Amino acid sequence: MTTGAHDPAGLALSPPPRDPRAPFGIYLHVPFCASRCGYCDFNTYTAGELGSATSPADWERAAALEIERAASVLAGSGTPPKVDTVFVGGGTPSLVGADVLVGMLDRIRSTFGLAPGAEVTTESNPESTSPEFFGRLREGGYTRISLGMQSTAAHVLRVLDRAHTPGRPQEAVAEAARAGFDHVNLDVIYGTPGETDDDLARTLDAVVDAGVDHVSAYSLIVEDGTALARRIRRGELPGTVDDVLADRYEQVAERLSRSGFHWYEVSNFATDESGYCRHNMGYWRGGDWWGIGPGAHSHVAGARWWNLRHPARYAAAWDAGDLPVEGGERLHDDDRHLERIMTGLRLAEGLPDGAFTAQERERADLQVSAGLLRRRPADGPDGPGYALTESGRLLADGVVRDVLL
């Protein structure tokens, strides 16, 4: 297989050697959606947008080839790393059906092998799931389900162009639990134009009552080029307001905390450590993963590369005997340091003193004085360091920026 223009840095053919003791993950991107949500700028495509250019079968075939290739590259002259976490995201993975999702996991299992106790997650749209769907996934080795809820308010869902009906996410949670899933996440979006405090309160009540062990709560971000951004620009909807978003985040945190959830990353809450998304923890801690599928990003030992975004180009690259890589970079020590601070300070565990330069520690001490960071105890499991306070979580990005400047 040639590198050509599809692996300009040669990283996907020959990434740096990785620490064999470090956890390793695989991300599998399913780029298909039944309809496009108004706020979405992810690398996803509806059937109408794709036309006859490509199909789920083309994606499945190409992704299977990339799994095989990734295992071969990382094996070198030995064996590939065992996979600690698998995360299937999108798009809407549930659209391709449980048999395809289980088949892709079987391929990962047969080429890489799964580590004992591996976490295997798939995102799903509640409207494209069923008791049979969850049963097949659980039987096939999936351990965790992530469902998009966003809101229980019908008018909020309409603004977001969400396809599911209020109540269906809770039904899907119950179906997943009956299928044997102990770990289920619900996604919530707050700050949608027209959402009220009462709307969010009812959504959070439904989340808690559903009995999940994990909640991801995100403030609405209006991305340029989306249908929602165009509606706001035309004056059809009001824009988001930072103070309102901060108030809503506090509402989310208070309600979930009162119900037994604790935050472990600024936007993520779990009932206990067993409910943490280990795959995402790998991202936040600077771990290694290989991204399979159109537009997927990979990171191995300080090398990063990303695939061609369009499913047709991604599949065509394989047909031409090329890797589907669009670009890549080798991260310098300064880059890796910057990213460690940016992601690590968003975690409740924070970072040890050794993660910071002397000047950064001085600036972090100023954030401690301002009540936005706290000093971690010296006798803790990772020694002294810095972590966000409750107030600091509201200004996490600014805190990180001020420490790094």
Side-chain angles (χ1 to χ4, degrees), residues 2 24 40 81 113 139 171 229 247 303 339 351 363 383:
T2 61
F24 178 75
C40 177
E139 178 186 72
E171 293 175 357
D247 289 344
E339 292 192 0
L351 289 168
R363 292 193 287 267

Side-chain angles (χ1 to χ4, degrees), residues 353-372:
D353 282 350
F356 303 88
T357 66
Q359 288 183 326
E360 288 166 352
R361 286 196 294 274
E362 291 178 3
R363 292 193 287 267
D365 286 336
L366 293 176
Q367 298 297 309
V368 172
S369 298
L372 302 176

Side-chain angles (χ1 to χ4, degrees), residues 90-372:
T92 309
S94 47
L95 278 182
V96 300
D99 286 343
V100 171
L101 295 178
V102 170
M104 299 304 282
L105 178 59
D106 285 343
R107 189 171 295 271
I108 292 169
R109 185 186 288 111
S110 65
T111 52
F112 283 90
L114 296 179
E119 174 193 88
V120 184
T121 303
T122 185
E123 295 179 338
S124 299
N125 185 315
E127 296 293 340
S128 53
T129 62
S130 66
E132 294 75 21
F133 172 84
F134 292 120
R136 179 74 179 98
L137 288 182
R138 189 70 192 94
E139 178 186 72
Y142 282 76
T143 66
R144 189 172 180 274
I145 297 291
S146 181
L147 293 161
M149 181 185 208
Q150 318 317 351
S151 176
T152 58
H155 71 96
V156 171
L157 295 175
R158 283 194 297 271
V159 171
L160 295 174
D161 291 323
R162 287 294 295 180
H164 70 76
T165 54
R168 176 57 199 157
Q170 299 95 300
E171 293 175 357
V173 170
E175 291 167 1
R178 286 195 293 270
F181 283 96
D182 295 324
H183 303 298
V184 180
N185 168 69
L186 280 173
D187 280 348
V188 172
I189 290 179
Y190 58 89
T192 301
E195 179 192 61
T196 66
D197 288 345
D198 286 344
D199 290 332
L200 181 56
R202 284 190 288 271
T203 295
L204 296 171
D205 287 344
V207 166
V208 170
D209 291 344
V212 295
D213 69 336
H214 192 284
V215 179
S216 296
Y218 304 109
S219 66
L220 179 68
I221 298 175
V222 181
E223 301 285 2
D224 290 340
T226 61
L228 182 59
R230 291 190 290 271
R231 293 185 66 188
I232 292 173
R233 189 167 56 249
R234 291 193 297 262
E236 297 173 12
L237 294 169
T240 57
V241 179
D242 288 344
D243 287 346
V244 171
L245 294 177
D247 289 344
R248 297 278 163 75
Y249 179 82
E250 289 185 317
Q251 183 180 353
V252 169
E254 189 279 329
R255 179 67 177 91
L256 292 179
S257 175
R258 182 158 40 91
S259 302
F261 289 83
H262 64 270
W263 75 282
Y264 69 100
E265 192 273 342
V266 168
S267 299
N268 288 273
F269 303 79
T271 53
D272 58 49
E273 191 170 348
S274 69
Y276 291 5
C277 180
R278 287 162 43 201
H279 186 84
N280 285 343
M281 289 294 286
Y283 294 157
W284 298 323
R285 288 173 171 167
D288 292 339
W289 73 91
W290 193 299
I292 306 289
H297 284 231
S298 301
H299 175 270
V300 176
R304 179 185 292 126
W305 63 93
W306 49 91
N307 286 344
L308 296 162
R309 287 177 58 84
H310 198 281
R313 293 184 64 205
Y314 171 79
W318 286 107
D319 293 339
D322 283 329
L323 291 175
V325 178
E326 185 172 54
E329 58 185 343
R330 291 181 184 270
L331 301 177
H332 300 296
D333 288 345
D334 287 347
D335 299 322
R336 300 178 77 172
H337 172 80
L338 178 71
E339 292 192 0
R340 187 182 185 195
I341 302 297
M342 290 177 64
T343 57
L345 267 186
R346 290 181 61 88
L347 295 171
E349 65 192 36
L351 289 168
D353 282 350
F356 303 88
T357 66
Q359 288 183 326
E360 288 166 352
R361 286 196 294 274
E362 291 178 3
R363 292 193 287 267
D365 286 336
L366 293 176
Q367 298 297 309
V368 172
S369 298
L372 302 176

